[in-house]
Amino acid sequence: MTDLNIDYRTERIADAEYRDRLQRVQRRLRQEGLSVGLAYATEHMPGDVQYLTGYDPHLENVALLVLPDRLVVLGGAEGEKMFEDMGRAGLWRNLSLFEIPFQDYGGLQFHTLPEILQEFLGDVPAEIGLLSAPNVLSQEIVAMALKAGNGGAL
């Protein structure tokens, strides 16, 4: 077996590759008549989120909004620092779904999905495209997306 001798501290996927990946997904969403896509990742299946942002969630599940002009990673406070260290694309928002009950976050604010959509889009779309496989998406995130879109199709 050949030793490739790769130094993974310096060899990284180019930022342009992440932009290209995002543009392909955004183009497909537009073709489907959608303005928002939702991906989901777990520590065991980081797939879509890692592919688009470079972030591999180790502590907790995360979701990702693909918007017309940006990516927004949705998670809990515990993962935010890891995203800052590892993530290559996107912004972070703490999602209420990932807030641990009775945990003292010292005034840190969590947001609902409609609040986050309102912040970045100015409204809540009637439909949200699901980008991750059904065996990866949690029932809770799908229910939250349905409720955010007023029961609209996913």
Side-chain angles (χ1 to χ4, degrees):
M1 190 161 132
T2 305
D3 182 12
L4 297 178
N5 218 9
I6 297 172
D7 183 354
Y8 291 102
R9 292 170 296 173
T10 59
E11 297 293 324
R12 302 184 80 182
I13 296 172
D15 290 343
E17 174 64 22
Y18 287 104
R19 284 190 298 274
D20 291 345
R21 292 173 181 183
L22 173 59
Q23 289 170 354
R24 286 193 301 270
V25 172
Q26 289 169 323
R27 185 171 34 255
R28 183 61 190 264
L29 285 168
R30 284 191 305 274
Q31 290 170 349
E32 298 294 326
L34 298 167
S35 60
V36 177
L38 177 71
Y40 197 78
T42 72
E43 64 182 294
H44 303 291
M45 299 179 103
D48 302 311
V49 173
Q50 186 176 31
Y51 178 78
L52 290 169
T53 69
Y55 176 55
D56 181 2
H58 293 304
L59 291 176
E60 60 189 2
N61 299 348
V62 296
L64 175 70
L65 290 175
V66 177
L67 304 176
D69 62 345
R70 72 186 78 215
L71 294 169
V72 181
V73 181
L74 310 172
E78 295 78 9
E80 185 172 9
K81 180 61 178 152
M82 290 182 71
F83 173 73
E84 289 173 7
D85 291 343
M86 246 191 286
R88 302 287 303 285
L91 304 168
W92 183 274
R93 288 295 181 273
N94 293 314
L95 184 65
S96 58
L97 177 66
F98 300 116
E99 185 175 7
I100 299 170
F102 309 109
Q103 177 73 31
D104 180 7
Y105 289 103
L108 188 65
Q109 189 172 4
F110 283 78
H111 308 277
T112 65
L113 184 57
E115 288 171 344
I116 295 167
L117 291 166
Q118 187 73 35
E119 175 186 355
F120 290 104
L121 297 176
D123 68 351
V124 178
E127 295 183 332
I128 297 173
L130 298 179
L131 304 176
S132 297
N135 66 322
V136 176
L137 289 160
S138 75
Q139 291 179 340
E140 295 86 1
I141 197 73
V142 172
M144 184 177 273
L146 278 169
K147 186 176 178 185
N150 297 317
L154 292 176

